[in-house]
Amino acid sequence: MSGRHCLPASPSRPVLRAGVVAAVAVTGPLAIAGTAVAAPAASSGTWDRLAMCESTQNWEADTGNGFKGGLQFTDSTWEEFGGDQYAASPDEASRSEQIAVARKVQEEQGWNAWPTCSDELGLQ
């Protein structure tokens, strides 16, 4: 029987299929975990929307009303949550620095730290 190849009997195919099923079962949760890790990037858009409501997304806002920056911090809140490590005043800090401080504020005070705009955006 030269030239003929003997194909394996069908038992190897179910093993292969089981391997594929197992691979899907293992990679499925990893894909979900990867999505969860990407969530902070999505929340960056939430901060932009909040800043649009608070200051028309003017990260350098200082209108003299006691609230400064894109997310309208008071100087005392800025200092209390470590903003002074970035800049003396919120309006002098970058967008990412203001968001870093805002995350700390939100973690402790919730969205109520920005009552009107967080309500308008459905964040509460």
Side-chain angles (χ1 to χ4, degrees):
M1 291 196 189
S2 70
R4 293 185 73 189
H5 295 85
C6 186
L7 294 175
S10 60
S12 66
R13 287 190 178 146
V15 171
L16 179 60
R17 286 185 187 141
V20 171
V21 170
V24 171
V26 170
T27 59
L30 294 176
I32 292 169
T35 302
V37 171
S43 68
S44 181
T46 300
W47 294 114
D48 285 334
R49 288 188 359 237
L50 186 61
M52 181 60 77
C53 179
E54 290 286 341
S55 67
T56 62
Q57 210 169 13
N58 178 358
W59 297 96
E60 298 173 352
D62 181 4
T63 59
N65 66 355
F67 297 93
K68 300 176 183 173
L71 298 167
Q72 296 291 279
F73 295 98
T74 61
D75 287 333
S76 61
T77 298
W78 182 251
E79 188 175 319
E80 179 182 347
F81 288 91
D84 53 352
Q85 73 178 335
Y86 302 115
S89 181
D91 56 308
E92 297 171 0
S94 70
R95 172 189 171 275
S96 62
E97 292 167 341
Q98 290 181 49
I99 290 172
V101 173
R103 288 179 196 270
K104 293 177 184 178
V105 172
Q106 194 276 331
E107 190 174 299
E108 186 172 307
Q109 298 180 8
W111 292 112
N112 289 326
W114 301 271
T116 301
C117 288
S118 64
D119 189 47
E120 283 182 29
L121 296 172
L123 299 172
Q124 295 187 358

